[in-house]
Amino acid sequence: RMDQALLLVRNELPAPGLNLAARSGSCHQCLYQLLAFVPPSNESQKPGTASVVVDTQHPLTLLLNSSVGDRDLCKIQYHFGEFGNYSLVVKTLSTSTQSVSCDLIINEGPINSYLPILFAFLVYMGILAILIAGRLLMKIDPVRNWVYKKLNPRATDRMINSELGSPNTTDSINCDPTLQSWNTGSRQRLRSLDTFRGLSLVIMVFVNYGGGKYWFFKHESWNGLTVADLVFPWFVFIMGTSIALALSSMLRWGSSKWKVLRKILWRSFVLILLGIIVVNPNYCLGPMSWDNLRIPGVLQRLGFTYLVVAALELLFTRADSGTWEGRFPALQDILPYWPQWIFILVLETIWLCLTFLLPVPDCPRGYLGPGGIGDFGKYPNCTGGAAGYIDRLLLGEKHMYQHPSSGVIYQSTMPYDPEGILGTINSIVMAFLGLQAGKITLFYKDQPKQIMSRFIIWGTVMGIISAILTKCSKEEGFIPINKNLWSISYVTTMSCFAFILLLLIYYLVDVKKWWSGAPFLYPGMNSILVYIGHQVFANYFPFKWKMQDSQSHAEHLTQNLTATTLWVVISYILYRRKIFWKI
């Protein structure tokens, strides 16, 4: 099968036989798992054999020991290749010293399962090159005039206007809020924010559809990061940025705080309702029923995070976001909002106290591990420590996510929800850091150098905090980077990346205008529609079809990239028609 290889073990040793066990290189402090018993050679010296299937996604450590006495004979570390055929020959080198050799032989070479990624990259780069060449050709007067003659003039004008301009904005705030310009005379959207949001959303759609079934396009089993772990916090970050700009705009245009608060409450309620009723993975267990309805979720967390951060900002924001006349003008985006910072620090203190001090039955205090076979199997039912315990206590096991990513590598059996209650505190912190990025753009409007320097400073500070918390280690830090837990080190690391990425996009799109933001701009301006749509229609053609070979990364990658591209095309068509779904 995909991501597997065949291993034939040949045992030339006499009785009593061997036990073959394995441990994945991505499984930290895990118990060895028994793969097979290999019988001894018989009286006619015919070796005993056993065939096993081994994982190829990560390096494996193979351990051979005697079935009697548990004497370790040999240990081999090897990264097997997909669809490869291997033999492990165990024989005696010297009868006097009882030394044993274990030789790994490649019978049939593996395939290169990463070639489809290279091919897909070249295809998309080719399409990009064609589009860039076409854009350059359109700058040549004879070519442009010829094209204009062939096309309907009205349609051509409409296309040019839609590409260079932006749809009219409305006074609303939501998860895809309307952004105002940096001067009150123009109402043009800040395209870098839509581009950032769209980039996060496109990656999210791709990994949700399967990511070609590659392990690095799936969520990390526990500690660490993969591509799939980047996108959700980025989406939360840019939501916070948009809140700052949208609230400032609405208040500047005369909306009362009570009116804005009603809109915040309504949109938060709708987001949470959509997450519970429409986008609920527990539908795979059968028709919706309160008995197995998952309560947490992505939209639920977005809705609640939006409610807290938007209400917090509304409480302290000013309609006029001009220069602050305090003693430290360099901190004008921080000091006027010291009550907000106190609130966020109190929230983070609550997270730290609950995480490290809350007693969890049959688990050590401050446990941050995956349970299962991790930590040498000492705490099999402690998945997530306090975070998992709080969810099971308040929500009930049947109302949580039933198939956490830790179940694959660490073989944990306890339900665990990565969008649970305790982790929501740190998603609020993530959105608040995004809010700071929005305040920077407000306080330093028309000063791109100041904005970019502030982004660099914030990104550097967040990176330093992450380095201290993690000790620059995947597993050995004070608080490891963990998406399932939404650990504070995960938040600081993702916000570091977000500040730097937003800086690059802002420089290319809004400062130098070397890039229009396409194609990520279009889904970024219709984010809720694309997110809900890709979930609802995930199993419908043309987003999914029956494959000829379901054990092929190439076919999965083709299907997932096609589905993701279709949503980009759909969002482009809606953009051209000025159709934007706002909650």
Side-chain angles (χ1 to χ4, degrees):
R1 296 174 65 87
M2 189 164 48
D3 296 325
Q4 292 181 345
L6 180 65
L7 175 64
L8 175 66
V9 184
R10 293 167 51 89
N11 180 16
E12 298 182 3
L13 304 180
L18 303 174
N19 287 328
L20 174 66
R23 183 175 65 191
S24 172
S26 66
C27 198
H28 181 61
Q29 293 184 342
C30 287
L31 296 172
Y32 280 94
Q33 299 300 296
L34 181 65
L35 295 181
F37 169 75
V38 187
S41 61
N42 55 25
E43 296 179 356
S44 60
Q45 301 302 312
K46 183 179 180 181
T49 60
S51 297
V52 294
V53 172
V54 292
D55 179 69
T56 63
Q57 296 183 84
H58 306 283
L60 289 181
T61 300
L62 299 177
L63 178 65
L64 276 166
N65 55 28
S66 173
S67 60
V68 176
D70 288 336
R71 172 177 168 242
D72 293 345
L73 300 179
C74 58
K75 183 185 292 186
I76 298 175
Q77 291 184 338
Y78 192 77
H79 195 166
F80 294 91
E82 187 176 31
F83 298 130
N85 190 314
Y86 303 84
S87 290
L88 178 60
V89 180
V90 185
K91 57 186 177 181
T92 303
L93 285 179
S94 172
T95 55
S96 59
T97 60
Q98 295 185 344
S99 59
V100 175
S101 72
C102 299
D103 300 320
L104 192 64
I105 302 170
I106 301 176
N107 303 322
E108 184 178 343
I111 66 169
N112 189 340
S113 58
Y114 302 116
L115 282 179
I117 296 179
L118 175 61
F119 181 75
F121 175 78
L122 293 176
V123 168
Y124 278 92
M125 288 299 99
I127 295 173
L128 178 62
I130 293 172
L131 293 175
I132 293 175
R135 193 178 185 89
L136 293 176
L137 286 174
M138 286 296 292
K139 293 183 178 181
I140 303 175
D141 289 340
V143 176
R144 184 170 65 251
N145 293 336
W146 180 83
V147 172
Y148 286 172
K149 289 179 182 179
K150 295 295 182 180
L151 296 175
N152 185 329
R154 290 185 179 179
T156 303
D157 291 341
R158 192 181 306 117
M159 179 183 69
I160 295 173
N161 291 334
S162 66
E163 288 299 323
L164 297 180
S166 295
N168 293 331
T169 58
T170 57
D171 289 336
S172 61
I173 54 173
N174 46 47
C175 287
D176 187 13
T178 299
L179 307 178
Q180 303 298 325
S181 70
W182 296 5
N183 58 73
T184 57
S186 171
R187 302 190 68 187
Q188 183 181 6
R189 291 176 72 100
L190 194 61
R191 297 171 74 94
S192 55
L193 299 191
D194 290 317
T195 303
F196 186 104
R197 185 189 298 108
L199 173 63
S200 303
L201 185 58
V202 167
I203 300 175
M204 185 184 293
V205 171
F206 175 64
V207 299
N208 285 350
Y209 276 152
K213 300 297 182 182
Y214 290 100
W215 67 269
F216 43 81
F217 290 136
K218 301 176 183 177
H219 291 295
E220 184 63 79
S221 294
W222 201 246
N223 294 334
L225 288 175
T226 64
V227 175
D229 298 321
L230 304 176
V231 290
F232 187 28
W234 285 352
F235 200 86
V236 173
F237 180 92
I238 208 65
M239 180 180 72
T241 307
S242 301
I243 287 172
L245 299 177
L247 282 176
S248 175
S249 171
M250 290 189 67
L251 295 177
R252 192 168 60 247
W253 284 85
S255 296
S256 69
K257 286 193 174 183
W258 285 110
K259 180 181 178 181
V260 175
L261 180 59
R262 285 196 298 271
K263 291 183 178 180
I264 291 173
L265 292 171
W266 170 251
R267 290 183 172 106
S268 301
F269 171 75
V270 172
L271 276 174
I272 293 171
L273 197 64
L274 285 171
I276 292 176
I277 296 178
V278 179
V279 186
N280 200 310
N282 281 12
Y283 276 130
C284 64
L285 303 176
M288 187 177 71
S289 168
W290 177 251
D291 292 338
N292 56 17
L293 182 70
R294 183 193 181 197
I295 297 176
V298 171
L299 288 180
Q300 295 93 307
R301 176 168 285 189
L302 282 175
F304 187 78
T305 300
Y306 173 76
L307 172 63
V308 174
V309 176
L312 185 65
E313 176 66 5
L314 179 65
L315 186 61
F316 296 100
T317 193
R318 299 174 297 168
D320 180 17
S321 58
T323 303
W324 183 58
E325 311 228 344
R327 294 179 58 187
F328 304 98
L331 301 177
Q332 61 177 313
D333 57 329
I334 300 176
L335 293 183
Y337 300 98
W338 61 267
Q340 292 181 339
W341 280 98
I342 291 178
F343 178 81
I344 292 299
L345 290 175
V346 168
L347 276 184
E348 190 55 39
T349 302
I350 292 172
W351 183 86
L352 290 169
C353 290
L354 289 175
T355 299
F356 291 101
L357 300 179
L358 180 69
V360 179
D362 302 321
C363 303
R365 288 196 182 189
Y367 182 70
L368 300 176
I373 63 174
D375 300 293
F376 305 112
K378 296 178 182 178
Y379 318 111
N381 298 323
C382 294
T383 303
Y389 174 67
I390 291 173
D391 288 342
R392 290 191 293 271
L393 184 66
L394 299 181
L395 303 177
E397 292 187 5
K398 292 185 178 180
H399 300 293
M400 299 165 57
Y401 191 55
Q402 300 298 308
H403 306 287
S405 58
S406 59
V408 178
I409 298 294
Y410 289 94
Q411 300 180 22
S412 57
T413 57
M414 299 294 290
Y416 180 83
D417 208 305
E419 279 76 51
I421 296 172
L422 194 57
T424 304
I425 291 177
N426 281 341
S427 70
I428 292 172
V429 176
M430 186 78 193
F432 184 76
L433 291 170
L435 188 76
Q436 286 303 122
K439 289 176 182 177
I440 290 170
T441 61
L442 288 171
F443 281 109
Y444 298 98
K445 56 188 177 183
D446 301 324
Q447 302 178 61
K449 289 185 178 179
Q450 286 286 345
I451 290 173
M452 291 188 292
S453 64
R454 298 289 287 185
F455 284 174
I456 291 174
I457 292 171
W458 274 96
T460 303
V461 170
M462 292 296 106
I464 292 173
I465 294 174
S466 296
I468 294 172
L469 292 175
T470 64
K471 299 182 182 178
C472 298
S473 168
K474 178 182 176 181
E475 304 284 355
E476 305 301 330
F478 300 110
I479 304 178
I481 296 173
N482 189 296
K483 191 266 179 189
N484 281 290
L485 296 171
W486 268 72
S487 62
I488 186 59
S489 58
Y490 175 67
V491 169
T492 55
T493 302
M494 291 299 96
S495 59
C496 169
F497 294 166
F499 274 112
I500 301 303
L501 181 59
L502 182 58
L503 163 68
L504 295 174
I505 296 176
Y506 167 70
Y507 180 75
L508 294 174
V509 174
D510 288 314
V511 177
K512 291 297 184 179
K513 301 188 185 301
W514 290 339
W515 179 27
S516 67
F520 304 115
L521 174 74
Y522 314 124
M525 295 178 70
N526 244 324
S527 55
I528 296 300
L529 185 146
V530 172
Y531 179 79
I532 294 179
H534 100 275
Q535 293 274 13
V536 172
F537 296 101
N539 294 317
Y540 291 87
F541 182 83
F543 305 104
K544 191 173 184 179
W545 59 85
K546 185 177 180 180
M547 300 181 183
Q548 291 184 351
D549 183 6
S550 62
Q551 300 303 314
S552 166
H553 279 293
E555 286 205 41
H556 281 281
L557 186 65
T558 300
Q559 185 178 89
N560 301 153
L561 285 175
T562 300
T564 305
T565 303
L566 283 173
W567 282 112
V568 174
V569 172
I570 291 170
S571 62
Y572 173 70
I573 294 172
L574 295 174
Y575 172 86
R576 288 281 302 275
R577 295 179 178 273
K578 301 184 186 298
I579 299 173
F580 304 98
W581 183 25
K582 299 182 182 297
I583 298 175

